[in-house]
Amino acid sequence: MSIAEAQEKVDQWIRSHGVRYFNELTNMAILTEEVGEVARIMARKYGEQSFKESDKDKELADEMADVLWVLICLANQTGVDLTKALENNFEKKTIRDKDRHKNNEKLG
C-alpha cells in the first residue's frame, strides 16, 4: 500500500473502531513508548543485552508497525501529507548530503 493509502486506512480504522483519535500529546507519548519498544528489541537482538522472559514474544516487525501506526495518526491529526513530506525530505537530503557520505572516511 502507498503512504497515502496507509494514512486513509488508519483514518478509516480510527473512525470505525477507535471512536476518535487520542489527542496529539497523548499520541506523542504513545509514539515515544512504541519507539522504546523497538529500541528494547534492538538492544537485545542486535546489542549486548539478553532477552528477559517477558521480551521473548515481542516481534520487531510488529513493534515497527506500531511506531508507523502512531506516526500516521499524528500526521493525520496535524494535516501532514506524509507522501509529500517524504518527497520533500528526499530532496532536502539529496541537496544537503549529495557528497557528504561519499567523502566520509569512516564509511570507506
Side-chain angles (χ1 to χ4, degrees), residues 9 12 23 25 48 52-53 58 61 78 87 102 104:
K9 284 184 87 164
Q12 288 173 1
N23 70 42
L25 288 177
E48 297 171 337
K52 295 177 184 176
E53 224 23 71
K58 305 283 184 182
T78 58
E87 288 168 348
K102 292 177 190 172
N104 183 346

Side-chain angles (χ1 to χ4, degrees), residues 5-15 21 68-70 72-73 76:
E5 289 169 335
Q7 282 193 254
E8 180 60 32
K9 284 184 87 164
V10 167
D11 190 63
Q12 288 173 1
W13 190 95
I14 294 292
R15 294 179 191 287
Y21 286 92
L68 185 56
W69 178 278
V70 181
I72 289 171
C73 286
N76 287 351

Side-chain angles (χ1 to χ4, degrees), residues 82-98:
L82 285 173
T83 300
K84 185 67 177 158
L86 188 58
E87 288 168 348
N88 290 343
N89 199 266
F90 267 103
E91 184 178 346
K92 175 186 79 174
K93 283 176 174 38
T94 300
I95 292 166
R96 183 189 68 199
D97 300 331
K98 67 180 183 128

